[in-house]
Amino acid sequence: MALTAQNLAWAAGGAWLGSCAAALPRLGPLALLALLLPLVRAMDAVPALILLTGVVVGSQHRQHALPTGADAGDAATAAEPVAAPSSAGA
């Protein structure tokens, strides 16, 4: 039942979306799952669970296999102080 072409496409699409979500600094897998809820609600149960599982697996694979430093804490914010010019050469 799960190994149909349509379900494998949902899994591949979910893994791709999860990989993209893991690469963006402010969008994580949980935020992507929340954004996908309206789409998932309109789907059948098995493809919906396969899609959501693909998102989680894809995001975990991206975070472990390709560390990009794209965590929420790594993003630069406007509240960070700007370094003053160095006077070491003067």
Side-chain angles (χ1 to χ4, degrees):
M1 178 176 185
L3 290 178
T4 64
Q6 181 183 11
N7 288 343
L8 291 176
W10 283 116
W16 182 77
L17 284 173
S19 179
C20 290
L24 297 174
R26 297 285 181 193
L27 181 67
L30 287 176
L32 182 62
L33 290 176
L35 289 172
L36 287 176
L37 282 179
L39 172 71
V40 168
R41 191 165 163 91
M43 295 172 62
D44 290 335
V46 173
L49 289 174
I50 289 174
L51 174 68
L52 295 177
T53 303
V55 167
V56 172
V57 169
S59 68
Q60 293 299 317
H61 173 71
R62 173 73 182 205
Q63 289 173 351
H64 293 298
L66 303 169
T68 58
D71 292 332
D74 295 335
T77 63
E80 292 180 3
V82 178
S86 173
S87 62

